[in-house]
């Protein structure tokens, strides 16, 4: 059993049942492992929540491996999969773009760079791709009205080593490929995601796991 935490995802909303709401609001859009713990007990918001998850699992005596998304990206565990995403950039893009509204297709990229200036992950937009170097250029210009303003920074970063993450459906396929997942259950709300991620993992050269709704 691998217990995965998507703790490199950006915080989209401030949960109403947490303390320090104003502090959290100032960190909207940043990866959960980059946001201070509102309870003041752990290294970050994500570390606190990951600890609660592990407490719950440990209370039942489950034998499992815990996999932090931030650590998997940062330590290079996902690097080979990310290289394959880059090598198959066009095929993955064509597959994904067929499932989204036409007005969103031009700006879509599987990669979300973490802005080197403001630290946000959902405020960045890929502007150029260098497949040979495994880098993307980006602009931090995607604001979320009422939540945060993009800082305007531009830069070029490697897609390896935790400087970028990939969007959810690509991320699910990346996890299956890199961690060798061969069975996964999911809710009915993820049926379409599971179908698309299964196709993406085949593009990466892997096999989708057996799935159960």
């Amino acid at each position: 059993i691998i217990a995965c935490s998507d703790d490199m995802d950006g915080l989209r909303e401030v949960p109403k049942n947490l303390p320090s709401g104003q502090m959290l609001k100032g960190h909207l859009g940043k990866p959960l492992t980059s946001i201070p713990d509102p309870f003041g007990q752990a290294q970050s918001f994500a570390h606190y929540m990951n600890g609660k998850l592990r407490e719950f699992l440990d209370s039942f005596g489950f034998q499992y491996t815990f996999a932090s998304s931030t650590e998997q990206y940062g330590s290079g565990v996902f690097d080979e999969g990310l290289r394959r995403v880059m090598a198959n950039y066009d095929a993955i893009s064509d597959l994904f773009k067929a499932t989204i509204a036409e007005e969103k297709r031009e700006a879509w990229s599987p990669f979300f760079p973490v802005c080197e200036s403001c630290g946000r992950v959902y405020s960045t937009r890929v502007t150029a791709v260098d497949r040979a170097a495994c880098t993307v250029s980006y602009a931090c210009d995607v604001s979320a009205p009422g939540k945060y303003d993009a800082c305007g920074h531009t830069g070029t970063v490697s897609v390896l080593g935790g400087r970028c993450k990939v969007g959810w459906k690509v991320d699910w396929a990346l996890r299956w490929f890199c961690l060798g997942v061969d069975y996964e259950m999911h809710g009915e709300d993820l049926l379409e995601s599971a179908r698309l991620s299964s196709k993406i993992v085949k593009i990466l050269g892997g096999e989708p796991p057996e799935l159960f709704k």
Side-chain angles (χ1 to χ4, degrees), residues 5-86:
S5 171
D6 290 325
D7 56 20
M8 197 171 167
D9 284 7
L11 182 64
R12 295 182 184 273
E13 302 282 351
V14 176
K16 291 182 173 60
N17 62 338
L18 293 182
S20 305
Q22 279 302 114
M23 179 276 289
L24 290 173
K25 186 175 181 181
H27 292 281
L28 284 172
K30 295 181 182 180
L32 298 168
T33 40
S34 299
I35 299 174
D37 173 21
F39 298 97
Q41 298 178 24
Q43 181 180 333
S44 74
F45 183 20
H47 283 81
Y48 177 86
M49 293 300 179
N50 288 344
K52 298 305 251 182
L53 170 63
R54 298 179 77 167
E55 277 181 27
F56 173 77
L57 295 173
D58 292 343
S59 72
F60 288 95
F62 288 124
Q63 294 182 3
Y64 64 93
T65 298
F66 183 78
S68 155
S69 179
T70 302
E71 291 178 3
Q72 304 301 304
Y73 275 100
S75 67
V77 170
F78 284 169
D79 278 0
E80 176 56 29
L82 291 165
R83 288 189 184 94
R84 295 191 182 210
V85 172
M86 181 62 84

Side-chain angles (χ1 to χ4, degrees), residues 10 31 56 74 90 158 167:
F56 173 77
D90 292 336
S158 171

Side-chain angles (χ1 to χ4, degrees), residues 84 88-89 91-93 95 198-206:
R84 295 191 182 210
N88 295 281
Y89 193 99
I92 292 172
S93 295
L95 181 66
S198 294
K199 293 176 181 177
I200 293 171
V201 79
K202 288 181 179 179
I203 292 174
L204 300 182

Side-chain angles (χ1 to χ4, degrees), residues 77-193:
V77 170
F78 284 169
D79 278 0
E80 176 56 29
L82 291 165
R83 288 189 184 94
R84 295 191 182 210
V85 172
M86 181 62 84
N88 295 281
Y89 193 99
D90 292 336
I92 292 172
S93 295
D94 291 345
L95 181 66
F96 198 98
K97 287 178 181 179
T99 70
I100 59 177
E102 190 169 349
E103 63 269 17
K104 296 180 179 180
R105 293 175 186 174
E106 184 178 354
W108 188 85
S109 170
F111 294 107
F112 285 84
V114 179
C115 180
E116 299 159 288
S117 178
C118 70
R120 290 187 168 87
V121 67
Y122 293 143
S123 59
T124 57
R125 176 178 57 88
V126 170
T127 57
V129 177
D130 187 331
R131 291 164 175 76
C134 263
T135 62
V136 292
S137 297
Y138 70 91
C140 182
D141 60 5
V142 184
S143 296
K147 296 180 180 180
Y148 56 81
D149 294 322
C151 72
H153 180 77
T154 59
T156 299
V157 294
S158 171
V159 302
L160 310 176
R163 297 171 185 87
C164 283
K165 73 179 296 294
V166 290
W168 154 239
K169 294 168 188 175
V170 184
D171 193 82
W172 207 8
L174 180 72
R175 179 189 307 170
W176 292 341
F177 176 80
C178 294
L179 302 184
V181 175
D182 51 29
Y183 176 75
E184 182 152 352
M185 296 181 289
H186 62 80
E188 189 169 4
D189 58 319
L190 293 180
L191 273 173
E192 290 303 318
S193 296

